[in-house]
Amino acid sequence: MKRRDFLKRSSLTTAGTMLIPNFLKAFEQAQLGTPPIPGKTLVIVQLSGGNDGLNTVVPFRNDIYYRERPTLAIPKEKVLSLNDEIGFHPALEPLKALYDDGLVTVVNNVGYPNPDRSHFRSMDIWQTASRSDQYLSTGWVGRFLDSNCAGSSQNAATCSPHRAIEVDDTLSLALKGDQVNGLALLDPKKLYNQTRSDLVKGLTKTQQSDGAADNLHYLYKTLAETASSAAYVYDKSNRGGAPVHRTSGTYPTSELGSRLKTVSELIQSGVATSVYYISISGFDTHINQPGQQERLLRQYADAVGAFMADMKATNRQNDVLLMTFSEFGRRVKQNASNGTDHGTANNIFLIGGDLRPGKVFNEAPNLTNLDEGDLKYTVDFRNIYATLLRDWLKADDVAILGQKFDTLRFV
């Protein structure tokens, strides 16, 4: 049985979430002395479901937009204009304030050749940075983790799950590498306690002998690394059972607000993490879109506004870049259920204090040149990944992405 098949069939595949044995203390000792890794932090916010980009960044000068969306289009007078052509949905006021401060770059028409309109497949493509005809079992952030293991899989300072943390109870494909996976957690203390449960301790009694199969050896190695990273994150963020740092920032009580608050406190606790990953769902708006999307966009903007205010107050604004994407946009023409169906190209947001002054990066969507009713992409999302890897995280983007993509001059 191949290693990946073995892991898929094992309940222990959720390494990084629970079922982590308390053993191999040497791993933990190596981690406890890990110094903070200087450099930049990337925070990725995934809008799951396919957010409607045309009603998020609105082409309010385009008559075709209003013709194709008679009941969904955002009225011109309500749009928060960014330039003479496009503007934000009115629920994005906190994002507009960040834009006015030069902190937000909007990239329009982002996609890839031969787009797939399936949620699952398109998300796989975005998370693995693959072609649409290519199926990969590792994610682009996971391969970034692997790149830190080059030369020595025992290099605890860099080859560690906690270098990429997903604030969730499951780990996305994006954070799964070949040599090391990222760490998934909602609460450092909760994960730490899970690694010390009786169930997990029982597992330690079945650990492999020296002659154990490679599959089992890999599994235990993965679990041990995850346990050590859980201990490391807990020790960095807690002292005597109490958080080392509680942010003074005021966050909304939404799911995204809570998760970005966790990210802020981990950053300010000095946890050596380069990439944080957060997903929020609900953007699949086939029916009665206006109220649902407005509520979600408001939650998004309020949470991001609070997070960036927190970063500014703690002098982290120039060290943190937040990228927001969705797996695809929606079709230009609204459907008969007052919603929109799966489309193709979409916009992404890049937010931070060390970007080339925030702006609208490229041309607005061309509604006169569609591909069977869908927007045509003009920016490959892997150009954005290459820029983030090479210019922000100082990593080998060609090795991680498997080929060279030109970088974009937003960093």
Side-chain angles (χ1 to χ4, degrees):
M1 182 185 297
K2 294 181 179 179
R3 187 175 70 186
R4 295 195 180 285
D5 294 335
F6 170 78
L7 293 175
K8 286 179 180 178
R9 296 180 188 186
S10 170
S11 61
L12 300 176
T13 306
T14 52
T17 59
M18 58 186 303
L19 296 181
I20 304 154
N22 176 20
F23 71 108
L24 295 182
K25 297 293 289 186
F27 279 92
E28 292 187 11
Q29 292 306 315
Q31 293 299 325
L32 293 177
T34 302
I37 297 175
K40 304 295 189 180
T41 300
L42 174 64
V43 180
I44 301 170
V45 176
Q46 172 184 301
L47 308 181
S48 299
N51 179 45
D52 180 15
L54 280 178
N55 269 24
T56 301
V57 180
V58 182
F60 65 92
R61 295 287 188 193
N62 197 313
D63 292 338
I64 298 174
Y65 166 73
Y66 288 98
R67 184 191 72 198
E68 297 297 326
R69 297 184 168 207
T71 64
L72 285 187
I74 306 299
K76 294 179 182 177
E77 63 274 15
K78 292 187 177 182
V79 173
L80 307 172
S81 63
L82 304 179
N83 57 30
D84 290 340
E85 295 184 81
I86 60 175
F88 283 145
H89 186 289
L92 296 176
E93 284 188 8
L95 198 66
K96 177 61 162 54
L98 294 173
Y99 180 86
D100 291 341
D101 288 340
L103 301 179
V104 179
T105 294
V106 177
V107 186
N108 296 304
N109 311 313
V110 182
Y112 53 90
N114 303 310
D116 195 300
R117 294 172 180 79
S118 159
H119 290 293
F120 300 107
R121 180 59 190 144
S122 187
M123 189 59 78
D124 277 357
I125 291 168
W126 274 85
Q127 292 195 347
T128 63
S130 71
R131 303 186 307 270
S132 60
D133 62 350
Q134 184 182 28
Y135 293 81
L136 301 179
S137 57
T138 58
W140 72 285
V141 178
R143 297 197 297 276
F144 163 72
L145 292 176
D146 285 341
S147 72
N148 291 291
C149 302
S152 173
S153 61
Q154 303 303 315
N155 186 351
T158 59
C159 182
S160 304
H162 66 258
R163 289 292 307 277
I165 291 178
E166 180 159 10
V167 185
D168 208 323
D169 54 9
T170 58
L171 194 66
S172 297
L173 176 58
L175 282 77
K176 294 182 178 179
D178 188 49
Q179 299 182 58
V180 62
N181 294 332
L183 188 70
L185 61 85
L186 283 171
D187 182 327
K189 184 176 181 180
K190 181 180 178 182
L191 176 60
Y192 175 80
N193 288 337
Q194 286 174 334
T195 67
R196 277 130 181 91
S197 70
D198 290 339
L199 175 62
V200 172
K201 288 179 180 176
L203 284 173
T204 66
K205 297 178 182 178
T206 64
Q207 55 187 289
Q208 80 285 20
S209 66
D210 291 342
D214 179 65
N215 288 338
L216 194 56
H217 175 78
Y218 176 82
L219 177 59
Y220 273 85
K221 173 180 175 292
T222 300
L223 294 173
E225 290 172 345
T226 304
S228 67
S229 272
Y232 165 77
V233 172
Y234 175 75
D235 287 336
K236 290 291 290 185
S237 59
N238 288 268
R239 186 170 298 135
V244 169
H245 183 88
R246 284 193 184 280
T247 179
S248 58
T250 301
Y251 284 79
T253 57
S254 64
E255 179 179 296
L256 181 59
S258 174
R259 295 184 181 195
L260 283 174
K261 182 179 179 182
T262 297
V263 171
S264 171
E265 292 181 339
L266 290 174
I267 290 173
Q268 294 176 54
S269 296
V271 174
T273 297
S274 298
V275 181
Y276 292 93
Y277 202 97
I278 300 174
S279 301
I280 55 174
S281 60
F283 289 89
D284 194 16
T285 50
H286 290 283
I287 302 172
N288 296 327
Q289 174 176 304
Q292 181 179 352
Q293 193 194 28
E294 179 178 355
R295 174 178 58 81
L296 291 168
L297 291 180
R298 193 175 303 283
Q299 289 179 359
Y300 164 79
D302 287 347
V304 170
F307 177 72
M308 292 308 300
D310 203 5
M311 294 298 98
K312 182 179 181 180
T314 54
N315 297 317
R316 302 277 184 168
Q317 182 172 273
N318 288 349
D319 296 326
V320 174
L321 191 160
L322 187 151
M323 179 187 77
T324 302
F325 80 98
S326 196
E327 70 266 35
F328 48 62
R330 318 292 293 188
R331 292 179 68 79
V332 174
K333 185 179 180 63
Q334 71 174 77
N335 63 27
S337 301
N338 205 30
T340 51
D341 298 323
H342 301 179
T344 53
N346 208 342
N347 39 58
I348 73 159
F349 301 146
L350 301 157
I351 306 168
D354 202 21
L355 299 175
R356 300 197 176 195
K359 59 185 178 182
V360 176
F361 184 80
N362 57 342
E363 73 282 1
N366 185 347
L367 303 189
T368 65
N369 183 22
L370 303 178
D371 179 11
E372 298 181 349
D374 283 327
L375 298 177
K376 293 182 177 178
Y377 86 98
T378 59
V379 176
D380 192 307
F381 73 99
R382 291 165 294 185
N383 292 107
I384 294 172
Y385 287 1
T387 309
L388 295 172
L389 289 166
R390 186 190 307 178
D391 296 336
W392 188 256
L393 297 174
K394 307 302 181 186
D396 185 345
D397 57 298
V398 177
I400 293 169
L401 298 177
Q403 68 180 90
K404 179 175 174 55
F405 292 92
D406 291 337
T407 55
L408 307 177
R409 297 176 63 82
F410 59 75
V411 175

